[in-house]
Amino acid sequence: MSIPREAPADDYGLVVLRSPARYRELVRAHPEQALLSLPAVVPGLRLDIRYATPHNLLGRPLYPQPAAYLRQPAAEALGQVQQALRRQDVGLVVYDAYRPYSATVALYQAVQDEHYAAPPWRGSRHNRGCAVDVGLVKLSTGQPLPMPTDFDALSPAAHTSFEPVSSLVRRHRTLLLTTMQAHGFQNYPGEWWHYDYARWGEFGLLDLPFSAL
Ligand SMILES: [Zn+2]
């Protein structure tokens, strides 16, 4: 399936879908394009949506409310990851998932570094509803499992292959990597928490507010 081209190109020549009515038409024709709310699809999922709080790179909330959406096949794949981790009393915590394009523009203006924020002229796979920022928790308590850095750390220690780390931290990072890869996600090597759904190229850029979903 090709990327739907219903929306006009913006200042950067990108095609960004901004109309909730057009989004609904698209989903009627292609149900896989639907953004699904992750807590409805992934039992026991924890949310820690940092961009809905001041606890992020900008120091102010970027989202009016915490929300976590992915396109239907990506959401279902994340459900399989949660299911696979459950046997070890481990679950996922989501820091960010679908991100409206306008939020990517605001983040880039704050960071101004392509290594740490997708530039507006390319957009982010988060804008396609096909990227998710995740960590691990102990399922029975909800406590986060130690990782090399906090989410969104602008540091070499955020790189997925960074060493030295403790054996415990390496075990968590590797468990996340291997389980996500086994269910169709690819890690961005600059950020241990960032995963792209492998079929992201089938889904276009969106700038729909959560309230429109
Ligand atoms: Zn990310």
Side-chain angles (χ1 to χ4, degrees), residues 99 126 133 191 194:
R99 179 187 305 159
H126 284 286
D133 299 325
E191 299 174 344
H194 178 102

Side-chain angles (χ1 to χ4, degrees), residues 94-115:
V94 169
Y95 300 113
D96 195 29
Y98 162 65
R99 179 187 305 159
Y101 175 78
S102 50
T104 282
V105 175
L107 272 173
Y108 187 79
Q109 283 166 351
V111 176
Q112 300 275 338
D113 183 335
E114 280 192 51
H115 292 104

